[in-house]
């Protein structure tokens, strides 16, 4: 649930990086809530209205966390628009260590000496 709240706190932040856990927990929780409101919307129209308002309220946070997820794997946020490839990227582990979009959201555990020889020399 913490990841869900974190996404709403960063609802307008299209920079930085988001871990897979943060992205997929947000997707899972919004899907469960949406499905529940849709089912209840069949019983009462007030839940249909709540479903519409919930969907409207989660559009921008959903795009923002998706863009940050693309940044975590080292891609531009525009890759979110490529249908199947964005799913593959969302499932891929993020780049270790900092990249051009920010520090590793997993924090510690990155060994720069281990990857020193793997970097391109400019």
């Amino acid at each position: 649930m913490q990841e869900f709240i974190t996404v709403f706190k960063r609802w307008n932040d299209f920079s930085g990086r988001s871990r897979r856990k943060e992205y997929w927990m947000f997707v899972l929780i919004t899907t469960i809530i949406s499905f529940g409101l849709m089912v209840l919307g069949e019983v009462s129209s007030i839940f249909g209205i709540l479903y519409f308002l919930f969907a409207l309220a989660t559009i921008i946070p959903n795009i923002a966390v998706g863009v940050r997820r693309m940044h975590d794997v080292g891609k531009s946020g525009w890759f979110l628009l490529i249908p199947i490839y964005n799913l593959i990227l969302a499932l891929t582990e993020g780049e270790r260590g900092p990249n051009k979009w920010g520090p590793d959201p997993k924090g510690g555990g990155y060994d720069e000496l281990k990857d020193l020889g793997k970097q391109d020399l400019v």
Side-chain angles (χ1 to χ4, degrees), residues 10-83:
R10 296 177 64 190
W11 72 274
N12 63 346
D13 182 11
F14 291 86
S15 63
R17 297 166 63 175
S18 288
R19 297 176 61 183
R20 279 185 294 183
K21 182 179 181 182
E22 179 181 342
Y23 176 78
W24 287 110
M25 289 303 292
F26 182 76
V27 168
L28 175 67
I29 293 170
T30 54
T31 301
I32 290 170
I33 293 171
S34 294
F35 183 73
L37 289 173
M38 278 192 318
V39 169
L40 292 172
E42 294 297 321
V43 176
S44 173
S45 63
I46 190 73
F47 289 108
I49 294 169
L50 287 176
Y51 166 73
F52 175 75
L53 293 175
F54 180 76
L56 197 60
T58 57
I59 288 174
I60 294 176
N62 199 354
I63 294 170
V65 75
V67 168
R68 290 193 309 267
R69 181 72 202 120
M70 296 298 110
H71 289 171
D72 192 40
V73 295
K75 302 291 184 185
S76 167
W78 291 105
F79 279 84
L80 198 60
L81 298 175
I82 303 173

